[in-house]
Amino acid sequence: MSDSEPLAFGLTIDNDTCSTCSLCVYACPFEAISVRQLNEERKVEVDEAKCRFCGVCYSLCPLEAIKITYYDMEGLLKQAEKLCTEAGSKSLIVACKGSNPTDKIIASRVGGEKLPVLKVPCVGRVPLDFYARLLAEGAVEKLYVLPCDEEFCRLKEGGRISFLRVDYLQSLLEELGAGRLLTVVKGSNKARVDEAKCLGCGNCVHYCPYEAASLRSPGIASIDEEKCMGCGICLAYCPNFAITLEGYEHESLSETLRRLAGGKASILVFYCQWAYTPETSSENGSNLCFIELPCAGRVDPLHILQALNLGFKGVLILACKQELCNFEEAGARKAEENLKNLKKLLGQLGLEGKVEIAFVSPKYPGEAGQALSNFISKIGG
Amino acid sequence: MIVVRPKPLEEILEFLHGRRNILIVGCDGCTTPPRGLREAQTYANLLELAGKLKGENFNLKATTIPKTCDSRIAYSSLVGQLEGVEAIVSLACGIGVQVLNEVFPEVQTYPGNDTVFNGMEVREGGIFEERCMACGSCLLGETGGICPVTMCAKGLLNGPCGGFFDGKCEVGGWVNDCGWVKIFDRLKQLGRLDLFTKIRLPKDYRDMQNPRRLSLEEAATKKAIPPLIDEVKEPGKRPAYSQLMKKIRNGEFVVTGEVEPVKTTDLSEVLKAAETLKEYVTAINVTDNPTAFAYMNALIPSYYIQEKVGVEAVYQMVARDRNRLALTSDLLAAGALGIKNILALSGDTTTMGDNPQSKRVWDLDVTQFIYMISKIVDEGVDLAGNEIHNPPKFNIGSSANPCATPLEPEIYKLVRKQNAGAEFLQTNSLYDIEIIKHFLDECRAAGLKIPILIGITPFKSVKMMDWLVKYVPGVVVPDEIQEKLRKAREKSKEAFVEMNIEIFSELCREIRKTTRAAGIHMMAIGFEWVVPKILEGAGLK
């Protein structure tokens, strides 16, 4: 991608609208926003390098002066309404994708009901207006909001903010006599060790970026639930498939692969849920198959080999840029290391060009699309 | 853990050529990186891809065994899965592969890995380091828990050698820690330097006789580690057999030279060099395959320079290439040829030389070698105690490295060499009078009584000087000297030589006048003609 034009940053501040109230400056968890005094004028600026594109500034701005390509309000509303209409339901679940990978998990959080689900990278970044408008317009009568546990939020403060906001809206609605229309159910999705399968090799202990895994005598690993952030890196290293992370188990991903291989697509894309958001992207060529993972570090070289044997012409990994990796920078690095080693193996068969990794960010709309089209032209559709 | 390295696919594909039903078998045991079910499946997938490309008709299955090295477990794990299987690829260590071949003789099991060593995992970066060679005589109790057999590049039992600087080993380019400096530091920390200064006797390799076998009855009854001995040779007790030793004992400031036989059968260069040095030196060292280059056996030119040129030889012998048998044999030959001085050295490791693929011997380290020569000369017996008829008469020298840092382990080691029977030391090349003084003071303070000859190497060119300063850690050439030589070279070649003569004459004079060095060892290979001029300038003729 080095040969192309620099991509446009997906977050802009409309300085004509901005009142320089500085709410965003204080709220930004990454200290990326500042106010600059220019002669007589004050100006709010975003440091592109520091910005992790979490969107908290956008969701807070009282004047809607911040535009972000990630959570387009009208787009979200349209999607929500469409989901409800399709399902014939007046209830909607808005869920963080980080802690809610499967329908089963989501249903369990709302008492077993099967309802339409709108998945977003972080519900903490959904503006309050979104819920208010859905309820006001009558498209939805009951909303479940499923953020991550506060400690589990990989975008900092998302869980807490969404809880406070929704709680505030709910109390307003109750004062108006509307009853309970909004329910918040926090959750997380953490790795677990199947003790019967654990060999006690200690790989998970060494590859966990959070020091959550430990090995105790007689050679059984355990994962500290408090510390685990659900990246799934350990799963890619466990020699006996003894670790599970709901929605991303070895066998369930293999199963997905086999299912996808039956179709017409010729290129498989593993993507980190933070690096790429298909909901907001348009590159869904018919020759592409996507598998979402909690982190590029979860990409298992064995799955890549399986995919090639199943007939995929190429496998692309969309990973975060290392400095933007939400997993202590470990995920993107592990993914790159693993791929390098796999390329060495495949290189012995002259197949190293079949697999590639691209480091992309939703911060730059179109970046992922460019990586995809580059790969498609390399593999030859 | 047993560290393994996956074999190239090509090798495995050759094993499997023409077979159809193949079972890839992982091992959940001690191989690292782990080679369990995931790896077995990974290999099954890779080989499937390979098979498609190469037109093989592979039908691959993957499974794993909890512990392949246990024949009973291996058998019961696989016995139900072998129907129709034509070949097995085992991802276990070499032991596992042999077990499978033994318990399932009807199917051939091939290795999927090369088993490389018993190691420790330094996980970040996926690095594995060897820590145990299964030598059969664990010294860790007496070396502060650090294994010299694996951590020392030469596997010395009485280290360090002179090849360390800043605690790093020269082998592999100053990256690895010197195992013996670590042992020294650890023993010092434990207050057990007494273990460091004693001589460790050589290992008994009968324990390594393969095939090795252990019965549980034998356990806990066999004492296998070579002992540390309290024996101390009193310096100066051995008669002076050589002219060199006689002169040193008489208190004369001696000069030795050096010649280097190379890859040739032609002795003329060496003899010519010796001829040049003859009138100016008491004895001439003859190098033994320096920096592990395969050159002519040093004994032959040693003999010839004594017989034909008429100057005494210092026959250098490195312990790198010969076991105690061959060393004894060469010592007897040297005795028969009238050699009087032996300079015992460890020798640079083979990977530095021109036959880097060679096996490194080091049956004895240099301290043990000195100990063995002492036994031969003083007691008339070889290392095993066999009597020698008409034993040779040698004076024994060895080397010292004043540039080693930290200096303390180097000096303790020199004391150990003295205790083993070394009678004089020659240092590597030095250029700084302050370093020389400091070193000699430290030696004296540590109880090192044997005479020391300071190594001097004049510079053949500015390039050589720059190379030494830049690439040989520990070589300190004072800026003033560098500056003078550089300026002189800018003038002319002749001026450069003149400056060399001036600088090194002055250095020799200084050493003689202001230090307690016993003499000077001139190393000027290919540049011998300048030696007489330097020595004349120093008033040493």
Side-chain angles (χ1 to χ4, degrees):
Chain A
M1 248 158 297
S2 52
D3 51 353
S4 53
E5 291 281 300
L7 289 153
F9 184 38
L11 189 138
T12 49
I13 297 177
D14 177 357
N15 289 108
D16 295 336
T17 315
C18 175
S19 68
T20 69
C21 73
S22 301
L23 253 182
C24 55
V25 178
Y26 302 117
C28 175
F30 307 105
E31 295 177 7
I33 314 181
S34 57
V35 185
R36 200 154 65 107
Q37 193 77 41
L38 255 176
N39 303 324
E40 292 297 291
E41 224 178 311
R42 275 158 61 82
K43 198 177 167 197
V44 174
E45 286 182 341
V46 185
D47 182 336
E48 198 176 313
K50 278 189 186 170
C51 173
R52 300 271 285 261
F53 218 60
C54 74
V56 78
C57 54
Y58 154 76
S59 71
L60 280 173
C61 180
L63 292 172
E64 295 182 18
I66 300 176
K67 301 272 178 273
I68 185 164
T69 48
Y70 211 31
Y71 298 87
D72 169 59
M73 172 83 103
E74 296 306 320
L76 281 179
L77 280 170
K78 234 180 257 167
Q79 244 186 323
E81 280 160 17
K82 192 175 151 221
L83 283 166
C84 287
T85 318
E86 276 173 4
S89 168
K90 288 270 178 190
S91 298
L92 177 71
I93 298 171
V94 183
C96 262
K97 58 184 186 178
S99 53
N100 298 289
T102 64
D103 293 346
K104 202 177 129 203
I105 291 180
I106 294 170
S108 76
R109 301 215 203 283
V110 297
E113 249 186 301
K114 184 138 178 39
L115 300 171
V117 186
L118 176 67
K119 275 198 209 177
V120 290
C122 175
V123 297
R125 276 58 182 169
V126 174
L128 209 48
D129 263 6
F130 169 72
Y131 305 117
R133 278 177 65 182
L134 273 182
L135 292 168
E137 284 165 15
V140 173
E141 289 170 358
K142 201 168 165 51
L143 271 166
Y144 290 94
V145 180
L146 271 47
C148 295
D149 282 331
E150 278 168 36
E151 296 301 313
F152 192 70
C153 174
R154 272 76 60 95
L155 281 175
K156 279 195 186 174
E157 305 284 317
R160 200 171 62 87
I161 291 172
S162 64
F163 180 76
L164 290 176
R165 275 193 194 149
V166 175
D167 205 43
Y168 168 70
L169 182 61
Q170 176 60 38
S171 62
L172 277 180
L173 290 167
E174 271 173 33
E175 269 176 42
L176 295 170
R180 178 152 287 276
L181 306 181
L182 284 147
T183 310
V184 178
V185 189
K186 291 190 241 178
S188 54
N189 190 27
K190 306 200 172 202
R192 284 189 184 81
V193 177
D194 178 348
E195 297 198 353
K197 279 186 170 180
C198 176
L199 301 177
C201 75
N203 258 6
C204 52
V205 178
H206 291 281
Y207 292 107
C208 173
Y210 298 100
E211 297 183 4
S214 58
L215 192 62
R216 55 173 204 268
S217 182
I220 303 288
S222 66
I223 292 171
D224 184 344
E225 283 226 13
E226 301 270 303
K227 292 182 180 166
C228 173
M229 292 298 276
C231 62
I233 289 174
C234 52
L235 276 81
Y237 285 96
C238 177
N240 207 35
F241 314 113
I243 307 179
T244 56
L245 178 66
E246 218 175 321
Y248 307 110
E249 303 87 345
H250 180 79
E251 200 35 50
S252 69
L253 291 173
S254 293
E255 187 53 48
T256 309
L257 273 176
R258 284 191 286 269
R259 185 167 45 76
L260 293 172
K264 282 195 180 114
S266 59
I267 287 173
L268 181 70
V269 182
F270 286 108
Y271 66 91
C272 163
Q273 60 184 352
W274 313 104
Y276 177 63
T277 51
E279 302 85 355
T280 62
S281 308
S282 54
E283 47 292 299
N284 290 313
S286 60
N287 54 350
L288 296 173
C289 272
F290 290 88
I291 294 185
E292 180 175 282
L293 295 174
C295 168
R298 171 67 189 98
V299 175
D300 187 336
L302 178 52
H303 283 134
I304 298 181
L305 290 172
Q306 284 174 350
L308 295 176
N309 268 319
L310 284 165
F312 283 102
K313 281 189 182 170
V315 179
L316 176 68
I317 301 168
L318 293 177
C320 291
K321 296 167 196 291
Q322 194 166 313
E323 67 278 12
L324 296 175
C325 173
N326 285 331
F327 296 102
E328 308 280 316
E329 304 193 359
R333 191 157 46 86
K334 299 280 181 227
E336 193 176 16
E337 267 171 31
N338 272 341
L339 192 77
K340 206 172 86 191
N341 294 334
L342 181 66
K343 271 175 171 284
K344 265 191 209 144
L345 285 176
L346 286 172
Q348 298 178 51
L349 302 172
L351 298 177
E352 68 276 26
K354 299 264 176 203
V355 292
E356 216 44 83
I357 187 165
F359 301 95
V360 298
S361 165
K363 208 157 122 166
Y364 301 105
E367 189 172 37
Q370 212 171 83
L372 286 166
S373 53
N374 284 351
F375 189 66
I376 292 169
S377 59
K378 183 178 167 193
I379 294 297
Chain B
M1 292 229 241
I2 298 177
V3 179
V4 297
R5 180 179 55 213
K7 276 187 178 291
L9 279 180
E10 203 184 323
E11 212 174 312
I12 302 174
L13 286 168
E14 260 171 48
F15 295 148
L16 300 179
H17 177 60
R19 314 293 180 92
R20 177 162 162 70
N21 294 318
I22 296 152
L23 188 62
I24 313 290
V25 185
C27 180
D28 302 344
C30 35
T31 48
T32 188
R35 320 299 286 169
L37 189 59
R38 161 184 297 280
E39 279 308 304
Q41 288 191 8
T42 300
Y43 267 78
N45 270 285
L46 265 173
L47 291 167
E48 191 180 332
L49 275 173
K52 287 175 195 163
L53 288 170
K54 314 245 169 193
E56 299 276 5
N57 190 21
F58 292 156
N59 174 29
L60 293 139
K61 285 208 172 71
T63 185
T64 186
I65 299 178
K67 206 172 146 194
T68 321
C69 54
D70 185 315
S71 52
R72 202 170 178 150
I73 292 170
Y75 181 79
S76 58
S77 304
L78 281 200
V79 70
Q81 304 183 54
L82 291 180
E83 211 185 311
V85 169
E86 292 158 49
I88 297 172
V89 176
S90 166
L91 303 183
C93 66
I95 303 162
V97 177
Q98 294 182 59
V99 168
L100 292 179
N101 273 299
E102 228 168 283
V103 299
F104 299 115
E106 63 283 2
V107 189
Q108 187 163 4
T109 300
Y110 297 98
N113 299 310
D114 292 315
T115 305
V116 280
F117 53 76
N118 296 334
M120 170 178 113
E121 203 161 353
V122 190
R123 292 281 181 126
E124 201 48 48
I127 305 288
F128 302 90
E129 287 181 358
E130 181 171 24
R131 283 292 188 274
C132 177
M133 242 184 203
C135 73
S137 48
C138 189
L139 290 164
L140 291 170
E142 294 177 2
T143 54
I146 297 160
C147 173
V149 181
T150 54
M151 293 287 282
C152 168
K154 299 177 179 176
L156 306 178
L157 296 190
N158 296 280
C161 69
F164 68 93
F165 179 72
D166 211 7
K168 299 284 180 192
C169 173
E170 67 178 349
V171 180
W174 314 103
V175 174
N176 300 323
D177 290 329
C178 166
W180 270 101
V181 170
K182 285 181 84 159
I183 292 172
F184 181 87
D185 290 345
R186 179 80 175 127
L187 290 175
K188 194 174 177 185
Q189 179 196 18
L190 296 170
R192 290 306 309 272
L193 279 181
D194 58 307
L195 292 170
F196 188 90
T197 43
K198 286 179 187 170
I199 301 163
R200 170 86 56 196
L201 289 187
K203 217 176 130 50
D204 182 344
Y205 281 92
R206 282 177 297 188
D207 290 340
M208 297 285 277
Q209 179 62 59
N210 50 347
R212 287 197 275 175
R213 206 155 181 271
L214 175 74
S215 76
L216 287 177
E217 276 168 38
E218 209 188 300
T221 57
K222 189 175 168 61
K223 202 161 185 282
I225 71 167
L228 288 167
I229 53 162
D230 288 316
E231 215 170 300
V232 171
K233 290 273 176 193
E234 198 56 47
K237 272 279 176 71
R238 188 175 300 137
Y241 298 117
S242 69
Q243 282 305 314
L244 176 63
M245 211 59 228
K246 278 181 190 143
K247 281 195 177 177
I248 294 175
R249 296 241 177 109
N250 280 341
E252 278 183 50
F253 189 83
V254 296
V255 178
T256 51
E258 185 162 305
V259 294
E260 184 179 304
V262 291
K263 223 187 239 340
T264 173
T265 55
D266 180 4
L267 280 167
S268 58
E269 285 294 320
V270 165
L271 295 179
K272 204 176 109 195
E275 199 67 53
T276 310
L277 296 170
K278 181 182 165 183
E279 295 302 318
Y280 297 85
V281 298
T282 303
I284 297 176
N285 286 36
V286 181
T287 57
D288 177 14
N289 296 343
T291 59
F293 278 61
Y295 291 158
M296 183 196 293
N297 185 326
L299 179 56
I300 309 304
S302 296
Y303 168 73
Y304 274 110
I305 63 170
Q306 293 201 153
E307 287 302 305
K308 288 199 172 167
V309 182
V311 58
E312 191 170 276
V314 178
Y315 170 34
Q316 295 195 182
M317 291 179 81
V318 299
R320 175 193 59 226
D321 308 322
R322 287 162 281 191
N323 63 10
R324 64 195 84 175
L325 230 137
L327 288 169
T328 304
S329 162
D330 284 359
L331 284 167
L332 295 180
L337 294 175
I339 303 296
K340 294 294 175 208
N341 302 296
I342 304 289
L343 192 83
L345 304 164
S346 296
D348 295 313
T349 197
T350 49
T351 47
M352 297 170 83
D354 69 349
N355 279 265
Q357 305 84 350
S358 305
K359 181 173 182 178
R360 299 169 280 280
V361 180
W362 281 304
D363 177 22
L364 305 181
D365 61 39
V366 63
T367 308
Q368 294 160 346
F369 183 28
I370 293 167
Y371 175 81
M372 181 180 85
I373 308 171
S374 298
K375 254 187 138 50
I376 291 173
V377 173
D378 303 341
E379 298 170 35
V381 293
D382 67 14
L383 201 50
N386 304 301
E387 204 178 316
I388 293 167
H389 179 63
N390 196 14
K393 304 289 177 211
F394 299 128
N395 291 114
I396 310 165
S398 193
S399 60
N401 180 11
C403 299
T405 57
L407 191 56
E408 215 181 351
E410 172 72 13
I411 291 186
Y412 269 74
K413 173 197 77 180
L414 296 177
V415 173
R416 198 166 52 199
K417 282 183 176 178
Q418 170 178 285
N419 291 346
E423 297 170 272
F424 67 93
L425 297 170
Q426 290 171 326
T427 75
N428 54 356
S429 309
L430 299 175
Y431 299 93
D432 189 329
I433 188 73
E434 294 311 316
I435 289 178
I436 296 167
K437 283 181 184 166
H438 175 70
F439 172 69
L440 293 170
D441 287 347
E442 293 292 312
C443 286
R444 192 160 131 133
L448 194 77
K449 299 191 184 99
I450 55 177
I452 299 172
L453 278 65
I454 305 297
I456 299 285
T457 302
F459 295 116
K460 241 172 137 174
S461 63
V462 171
K463 214 168 137 190
M464 170 195 170
M465 177 176 78
D466 289 344
W467 186 86
L468 274 172
V469 171
K470 200 169 167 196
Y471 295 109
V472 185
V475 171
V476 178
V477 182
D479 291 344
E480 193 196 330
I481 292 181
Q482 290 192 45
E483 200 51 37
K484 277 185 181 170
L485 283 165
R486 228 179 283 280
K487 280 214 173 115
R489 183 63 189 85
E490 278 164 23
K491 256 187 230 158
S492 69
K493 254 186 181 171
E494 291 70 31
F496 179 74
V497 171
E498 284 306 313
M499 188 50 75
N500 250 308
I501 294 167
E502 190 187 315
I503 286 169
F504 288 100
S505 297
E506 174 59 24
L507 186 58
C508 291
R509 233 189 339 262
E510 277 283 302
I511 292 169
R512 184 179 189 180
K513 222 167 60 189
T514 65
T515 76
R516 53 178 85 87
I520 281 170
H521 176 54
M522 295 294 299
M523 291 173 275
I525 305 299
F527 198 34
E528 290 86 1
W529 56 268
V530 82
V531 172
K533 296 187 166 129
I534 291 172
L535 295 174
E536 276 163 14
L540 283 168
K541 167 64 194 164

